[in-house]
């Protein structure tokens, strides 16, 4: 398996784990969406790093996991510029969500927004971490160590 295939496989797995973790956690907490209406399907926002074919398999894995756990998945593919991803985060925060998985482009600059979001909902970082934020967990690997 070459390095690109390995990284894609890890990210695909990370997407599924992230959605499953949040979806299962929400159902175990109260049997319904964290918005409090049991008739509502939980809504989950999945934010990737930009419009690159690299993310296609990751998004496909996230969609498959969302189907398996009966989650309304909203996929966001910003331009790849930090300001655009930050705008997406702001819209997600304003609209409300039951969970967010994000590969932060500018983790240091986005720490405050990510932390604020983490106090209101489940927040997971994947592929790229924001260790200074209050995110609930990071799913991924150190790309330099992995080769």
């Amino acid at each position: 398996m070459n390095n690109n295939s390995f990284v894609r496989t890890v990210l695909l797995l990370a997407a599924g784990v992230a959605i499953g973790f949040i979806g299962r956690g929400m159902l175990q907490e109260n049997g319904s969406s964290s918005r409090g209406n049991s008739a509502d399907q939980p809504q989950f926002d999945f934010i990737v790093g930009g419009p690159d074919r690299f993310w296609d398999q990751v998004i496909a894995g996230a969609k498959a996991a969302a189907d398996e756990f009966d989650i309304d998945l909203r996929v966001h593919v910003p331009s790849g510029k930090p300001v655009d991803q930050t705008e997406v985060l702001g819209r997600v925060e304003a609209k409300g969500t039951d969970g967010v998985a994000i590969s932060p482009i500018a983790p240091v600059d986005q720490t405050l927004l990510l932390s604020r979001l983490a106090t209101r909902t489940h927040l997971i970082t994947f592929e790229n971490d924001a260790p200074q934020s209050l995110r609930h967990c990071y799913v991924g690997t150190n790309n330099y160590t992995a080769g």
Side-chain angles (χ1 to χ4, degrees):
M1 181 181 288
N2 67 34
N3 287 342
N4 258 353
S5 295
F6 175 76
V7 172
R8 284 190 179 131
T9 300
V10 168
L11 288 177
L12 184 61
L13 179 62
V17 168
I19 290 174
F21 173 79
I22 289 177
R24 188 171 304 177
M26 287 186 303
L27 293 174
Q28 287 175 349
E29 284 173 10
N30 61 10
S32 68
S33 160
S34 67
R35 290 183 313 280
N37 185 348
S38 63
D40 282 351
Q41 186 180 34
Q43 292 182 337
F44 186 83
D45 288 271
F46 192 76
I47 307 167
V48 298
D52 191 297
R53 291 184 54 202
F54 172 80
W55 293 109
D56 293 348
Q57 289 180 321
V58 176
I59 291 169
K63 287 179 178 179
D67 287 344
E68 181 179 338
F69 290 99
D70 196 29
I71 293 172
D72 178 18
L73 182 68
R74 298 179 292 204
V75 175
H76 305 274
V77 184
S79 71
K81 296 178 183 174
V83 67
D84 293 337
Q85 190 183 55
T86 300
E87 287 176 13
V88 167
L89 275 170
R91 288 193 305 268
V92 166
E93 180 185 33
K95 189 172 186 176
T97 186
D98 291 305
V100 176
I102 182 170
S103 177
I105 296 172
V108 173
D109 296 335
Q110 295 169 330
T111 294
L112 183 60
L113 180 54
L114 291 169
S115 293
R116 191 170 62 224
L117 197 55
T119 65
R120 297 178 180 156
T121 192
H122 301 277
L123 177 71
I124 291 175
T125 58
F126 65 94
E127 196 271 329
N128 196 27
D129 195 12
Q132 300 303 313
S133 73
L134 297 175
R135 51 96 171 117
H136 295 95
C137 73
Y138 166 64
V139 180
T141 186
N142 182 312
N143 291 337
Y144 293 105
T145 302

